[in-house]
Amino acid sequence: MQYEIWHARYTRTMKLFVDTGDIDEIRRAAEWGILDGVTTNPTLIAKTGRGFRDTVLAICQAVPGGDISAEVVATDYEGMLREALEISGWNPQIVVKVPLIPPGVRLVRTLAEKGIRTNVTLVFSVSQALLAAKAGATYISNFVGRVDDASADGMEAVAESVEMVATYGYDAEILVASVRHPLHVVQAVQAGAHVATMPFKVMEMLFKHPLTDLGLQRFLDDWNAAGLTIFDRASG
Ligand code: G3P
């Protein structure tokens, strides 16, 4: 077994995040007991029709202890720093999301020195992931779906990035983002990725298999045909 897959498999769990600003979807996913966090981005926040701070704080409340990524929107260092300090001050669960641009990498270094966690986003190559890891990123969001949409293999950079952080011992966790379907989650597991974030509908699809439905129905049909019960002790 490749070291990086061994390392991910036997030293960490695969964290599952839901990629949405929809608080109802987040609450439903949180009920399943397998949700480790939430990622948002300016587009997802804009879809909510609510204020940024209100939405992020509602998400923190819906996923107690979960890592909640909230993105800066400035593109200059000073503006990004001011926004990052504001956002990170709202709740300790918040992870500041920062785009992989030069002032963003500089910001990640500054925030790492202040003990503020970051999620570096819009990462498409292992070279970009290397910059984020060197700067001290907590999470590195390798986008896969948008690469697939351009007829290339988005998962390639994920596998390279997982190997890179393991090779050099960086603490950064590779977060597979821009997930389009359950196969991306399977491939993220195969690559030894540390986190996968996905739309709620994709997370719902992870539960589904036709043989599960058929098998359960068979169990219930046989049980009911036998007239069995669980709570009636008189029946033995
Ligand atoms: O939120 C980050 C990422 O998962 C969004 O990707 O391609 O679905 O917009 P996409």
Side-chain angles (χ1 to χ4, degrees):
M1 186 184 298
Q2 282 175 299
Y3 170 76
E4 54 278 357
I5 293 178
W6 174 89
H7 183 267
R9 183 168 297 170
Y10 294 107
T11 59
R12 310 168 193 259
T13 176
M14 158 75 93
K15 291 177 186 172
L16 296 179
F17 291 178
V18 67
D19 195 33
T20 180
D22 184 319
I23 196 67
D24 293 329
E25 289 183 340
I26 292 166
R27 287 184 180 127
R28 287 173 63 193
E31 283 172 358
W32 293 327
I34 46 86
L35 188 66
D36 298 298
V38 179
T39 50
T40 70
N41 63 42
T43 301
L44 294 172
I45 295 295
K47 282 179 183 172
T48 67
R50 288 179 63 179
F52 184 27
R53 183 173 184 276
D54 287 349
T55 300
V56 171
L57 289 179
I59 295 173
C60 290
Q61 193 173 21
V63 190
D67 284 349
I68 312 303
S69 289
E71 191 163 339
V72 296
V73 291
T75 53
D76 64 296
Y77 175 75
E78 289 70 22
M80 295 170 101
L81 177 58
R82 190 155 43 87
E83 291 177 353
L85 295 176
E86 169 66 20
I87 292 168
S88 59
W90 293 345
N91 188 296
Q93 291 177 236
I94 290 171
V95 178
V96 178
K97 211 172 188 187
V98 181
L100 195 289
I101 55 175
V105 171
R106 180 184 172 194
L107 175 68
V108 170
R109 167 56 62 202
T110 302
L111 295 179
E113 289 165 357
K114 293 176 179 293
I116 296 173
R117 296 179 300 154
T118 55
N119 176 357
V120 178
T121 189
L122 291 170
V123 172
F124 295 91
S125 68
V126 66
S127 50
Q128 288 180 316
L130 174 63
L131 297 173
K134 279 185 70 69
T138 310
Y139 294 111
I140 299 172
S141 286
N142 279 77
F143 280 40
V144 294
R146 296 191 189 189
V147 177
D148 291 11
D149 293 345
S151 306
D153 179 0
M155 208 51 80
E156 263 183 30
V158 169
E160 292 167 349
S161 300
V162 168
E163 187 170 8
M164 179 271 294
V165 295
T167 300
Y168 299 113
Y170 289 123
D171 291 330
E173 296 188 14
I174 301 304
L175 188 161
V176 178
S178 188
V179 165
R180 295 282 190 271
H181 43 65
L183 182 59
H184 275 154
V185 180
V186 172
Q187 292 167 335
V189 168
Q190 291 167 340
H194 308 95
V195 191
T197 194
M198 66 203 78
F200 178 75
K201 68 176 171 46
V202 174
M203 191 170 278
E204 271 191 316
M205 291 166 74
L206 298 183
F207 287 91
K208 302 305 286 177
H209 193 292
L211 290 178
T212 303
D213 298 338
L214 287 172
L216 179 59
Q217 191 57 56
R218 173 72 183 274
F219 287 160
L220 299 180
D221 290 347
D222 293 345
W223 174 270
N224 293 329
L228 293 167
T229 64
I230 289 176
F231 296 104
D232 178 2
R233 298 192 178 191
S235 64

